[in-house]
Amino acid sequence: MAGLISRSVPCAILVVLCTVVPILAKDYTVGDSSGWAIGMDYSTWTSGKTFSVGDSLVFNYGGGHTVDEVRASDYSTCTTGNAITSDSSGATTIALKTAGTHYFICGVPGHCGSGMKVAVTVAAAGSSTSPSSSGTPSSDGTTTSPAGSNVTNYKPSSNNVPDSSLGINNSPFVALAGSCVAVFVMVFS
């Protein structure tokens, strides 16, 4: 009986963690009902929001736009053509898998300069930080957003992103599957 209890406690903890962590993640629709468009003030949109690892950014937009993740220097100068990742599907979901500042612009010439750019500061999961802003990147022109950040609806425009960087979001289905495995292990071990 003691062996069953000693195996049950870690499994119960695993079930709770698999269920709670994905629930804490949020999907943020960039620009809310206005979407990803020219003329939006995305620094206002980000103010008051706290982005965490595990959250996702959802970009909704019509034809003639892109969502490009770029380095801080390209964000500051609205330089196109050096994107870390790029998508033009009209519905782009970016999984925020790493802490740091992530920079996004529309890669169509002139659109970034017309306001289609957003910077989000992502806190490590479970940490508390001040809300994100869309301010100017650091003066040294560097970014803490690594080249391997994930785009879940990624349609490559070039082969500059390794396949290993593509990932899947945690979802309630994944949490349920993990819970089922934990229960199975607990009952049959």
Side-chain angles (χ1 to χ4, degrees):
M1 183 65 157
L4 178 61
I5 292 173
S6 67
R7 286 190 309 254
S8 299
V9 171
C11 288
I13 292 170
L14 179 63
V15 168
V16 169
L17 289 176
C18 286
T19 305
V20 172
V21 172
I23 291 172
L24 298 176
K26 295 179 184 176
D27 289 345
Y28 291 95
T29 301
V30 176
D32 297 320
S33 61
S34 297
W36 185 233
I38 292 175
M40 279 291 300
D41 180 3
Y42 292 103
S43 60
T44 299
W45 177 79
T46 59
S47 67
K49 292 178 176 62
T50 301
F51 302 95
S52 299
V53 169
D55 291 345
S56 294
L57 297 178
V58 179
F59 292 82
N60 295 314
Y61 51 98
H65 297 296
T66 67
V67 175
D68 295 359
E69 183 170 6
V70 296
R71 289 171 182 74
S73 57
D74 291 336
Y75 175 85
S76 294
T77 59
C78 287
T79 301
T80 60
N82 299 322
I84 297 166
T85 60
S86 182
D87 185 53
S88 59
S89 66
T92 305
T93 300
I94 308 287
L96 301 173
K97 299 230 177 229
T98 57
T101 303
H102 298 263
Y103 302 96
F104 303 94
I105 66 171
C106 179
V108 175
H111 290 197
C112 176
S114 296
M116 286 188 77
K117 62 192 253 180
V118 63
V120 295
T121 301
V122 180
S127 70
S128 61
T129 61
S130 60
S132 177
S133 72
S134 190
T136 305
S138 61
S139 60
D140 65 359
T142 61
T143 178
T144 55
S145 174
S149 59
N150 292 313
V151 178
T152 53
N153 289 336
Y154 182 71
K155 295 181 182 174
S157 59
S158 65
N159 284 333
N160 64 347
V161 178
D163 289 340
S164 62
S165 71
L166 302 177
I168 59 171
N169 283 334
N170 286 338
S171 67
F173 175 76
V174 173
L176 181 60
S179 299
C180 290
V181 168
V183 169
F184 180 82
V185 168
M186 183 176 71
V187 170
F188 293 106
S189 60

